[in-house]
Amino acid sequence: MKKIVLFFSLLLLILGCAENVKKKEDSITGRAWWKEGIIYQIYPRSFKDSDGDGIGDLEGVIEKLDYIESLGVNMVWMNPIYSSPNADNGYDISDYRGIMEDFGDMEDFDRMLKGLHERGIKFVMDVVVNHSSDEHEWFKQSRSSRDNPYRDYYHWWPAEKGKPPYRYSLFDPKGEAWKYDSLTDAYYLHYFAQKQPDLNWENPKVRQEVYDIMKFWAEKGVDGFRLDAFQYASKDTTWPELPEGFEKNVIKHYGMQPNIHKYLKEMNEEVLSKYNVFAVSEGAGSTFEDAHSLVDADRKELQMAYHFEGMDVGNSLEGYKLSEFKEVYTKWDSAFAKKGWLSIFLANHDVPRMVSKFGNDSSAFRAVSSKMLNTFILTMRGTPYCYYGDEIGMTNIGFDSISQYRDIAAINGYEKAKTQGADLDAYMAELKFLSRDNGRTPMQWDTTAHAGFTTGDPWLPVNKNYKTVNVAVEQKDPNSCLNYFRKIVQLRRDNPVFVYGEYNLLLPGHEQLYAYTRSLGEQQVLVVLNFSEKPATAILPLGDSPELMINNYPELDRSASTVLLKPYQALVFNIRD
C-alpha cells in the first residue's frame, strides 16, 4: 500500500512539474519552432564518404543519421549539394534542381530528408542565387549573343562603352569583378569567382525562376532556406563610380541596395508565406537598421538575421580582446531584445575552427575551451548554429604550403598577393590561421585510416590529431567534448529561458570572464565563462541556494558568492525559479 501511495505521489509531482513548464511556455509570446531549433551545419563534402572516392556524400549522411539524432539537435543546414562544376565547392550552381554527382542523386536526397524527418529533425537548404555557375544553361545562353532571351539574366557591359566602372571581386586574382568575354565583346559581372557570374535580380524573370526553384524544394519537404550572399543580390545598375576609400566598407557600397526589400517582400509573398518554412540571409548589412529591415516580423521579408560582426573579431594573428568580443555580442542582443531574431554561432564553412580562433587548441586546453565555447553558443539568445566537428573539438589543420590548399579564396588570394608584391610569408602565416580549409577538413569518426571518413584518398587531408580527437574515442568518455555537447544541448531544450530569456551582461570590464544572466518570468540563470588559460575569481549574484546546471570540469570551487574559475571553465547556475 505504501508503494502505491509513493508511486502516485511521485506521479502527481511529475505531472505538476510538467504543468508548470507548460504554463511557463504558454506565457511566452512570439514563439516559433525555428527560434527553438538547434542547427547542426554539415559540410557534405567533408562529413562521411560512403563509396571510397574521398568525397563525402548523401549516403554517408544517411549512415550517420542516428549519430546526428544522438546530439539532440533538431535542425540540419547543409551546404550546397546541387549540380556544380565545383569551382567554389558547390557555390557555383549549374542546375538548381539537380544533385551533384559527387554527392549522389535525388533518390538519395529524398531518403536523407525522410530519415531526418522521421527523427524529428528539420532540414535547411542552402540557396545560392546572387550568382550561378558560368556552366548553367542560363549563362551559356546569355553569353551566346546580345539578343538572346537570357541576355538580361546577368549583368553585361558592352565593350564599345569603354571599360566598366571598377567593381571589387572577393575571389578574383586581380580583385576585378568585370570579366571580358570576347564572344559578344562585352564584360560580365562577378562579385565572387570568374566562374560565378552574378544574376540580374532587376529582371523579374530571374526572380520568378528563383521563386520556382524554392517552391520545388519546399514541395519536397525542405523546412528552411539559407540565402547565400543575398545582401549583394540587388545592384545599382547605373553603375556609379565608387567613392575613394570604399574598400574600407565594401558592404556599405555593395550590399543592401534599395531594391533588396522589394525582392524579399516578393519572395515572402510568393514562397515563404505559403509554406511552413523560415529563411535566413547570410550577412545582415552593415547596420542594425539593415538587419531589422530584413527580419522584423511586420516587414514580411525574412525571419532570421545572420550577422558577421562576431566573425570579424580575432581576424589577426594577435588574437582578440574579450572586451571586444563581449561588446559585439551584447550590442547585437540589445538591438534585437524586443524585435526581430538573430542567429548565434562561432564557426561555419567560411572561417577557421572555433577552438583554434576563440579558444585554445593546445592539448592541455583544447577540450575544456571547446566545451566553454559551446556553452556560450547554447546559452545565448538567438538560434544556435553548431558546426560539424565542433562537438568533438576539432582544430585547425595548419597547412604550410599553398599547394596544400583547395579553397579558391586561398589560391586566388595568394596569386593576388604575389601580383601586388605583398609579403608572402605574412600572407601564408595569416592563411594558416584563418583559411576556410581549416574548417573543411574531414569529420573525425574513429582511429582507423583517414579517421573513418573514407576508404580512399580524402579530397582534403584529415587532421593529424584524429587518433585522439574522434567520435569513437569520445563516445566512451563521459567527460568528453562530445558528451558535454549532448548535455548542453539538452539543457537548452529543457529550459526556454535560454531561448527567450532576457540577457544582461555582468562584469563588463573583466578581462578574463564573460558573465551574464538570462531571465524569463520567475526563472533566472547565471552563465560564467572563463575565456583565459589562467584561473579567475569573481563575486557573482548566486543567491541563497543556486542550482549548478552544468560545469565543464568535474568539480566546482566556490564559497558564498565568490567563484574561482579554472582555465576555460564554464558554469551555469539556476539562481531563481
Side-chain angles (χ1 to χ4, degrees), residues 5-23:
V5 171
L6 180 61
F7 171 77
F8 278 105
S9 298
L10 285 171
L11 182 61
L12 288 170
L13 180 63
I14 292 167
L15 290 173
C17 290
E19 183 62 26
N20 286 338
V21 170
K22 187 175 186 308
K23 283 179 181 176

Side-chain angles (χ1 to χ4, degrees), residues 44 50 103 115 186 191 196 203 224 233 235 243 261 292 306 309 340 383 400 440 466 491 501 507 572:
S50 70
F103 296 144
Y191 275 4
Q196 294 170 293
N203 183 347
K235 275 94 171 170
H261 297 295
H292 274 292
Y306 190 97
E309 195 171 353
T383 300
D400 293 310
R440 299 177 178 186
Y466 77 89
L491 188 70
L507 311 175
V572 181

Side-chain angles (χ1 to χ4, degrees), residues 519-565:
S519 308
L520 183 67
E522 296 300 312
Q523 187 178 15
Q524 185 175 71
V525 297
L526 170 66
V527 180
V528 196
L529 310 170
N530 186 354
F531 269 71
S532 78
E533 62 183 43
K534 296 178 181 178
T537 304
I539 297 174
L540 294 161
L542 291 173
D544 297 328
S545 53
E547 172 200 354
L548 181 60
M549 303 176 85
I550 201 160
N551 178 6
N552 66 341
Y553 275 81
E555 65 282 332
L556 170 65
D557 188 353
R558 81 174 186 89
S559 60
S561 58
T562 301
V563 180
L564 176 64
L565 282 94

Side-chain angles (χ1 to χ4, degrees), residues 443-453 462 464-474 476:
M443 179 67 175
Q444 295 164 207
W445 293 105
D446 55 40
T447 59
T448 62
H450 307 307
F453 164 70
V462 173
K464 291 177 183 177
N465 63 11
Y466 77 89
K467 292 277 188 179
T468 53
V469 182
N470 66 67
V471 171
V473 166
E474 295 197 20
K476 300 170 187 174

Side-chain angles (χ1 to χ4, degrees), residues 410-422:
I411 295 165
N412 285 354
Y414 181 82
E415 290 303 314
K416 183 180 177 184
K418 193 162 66 171
T419 300
Q420 295 178 343

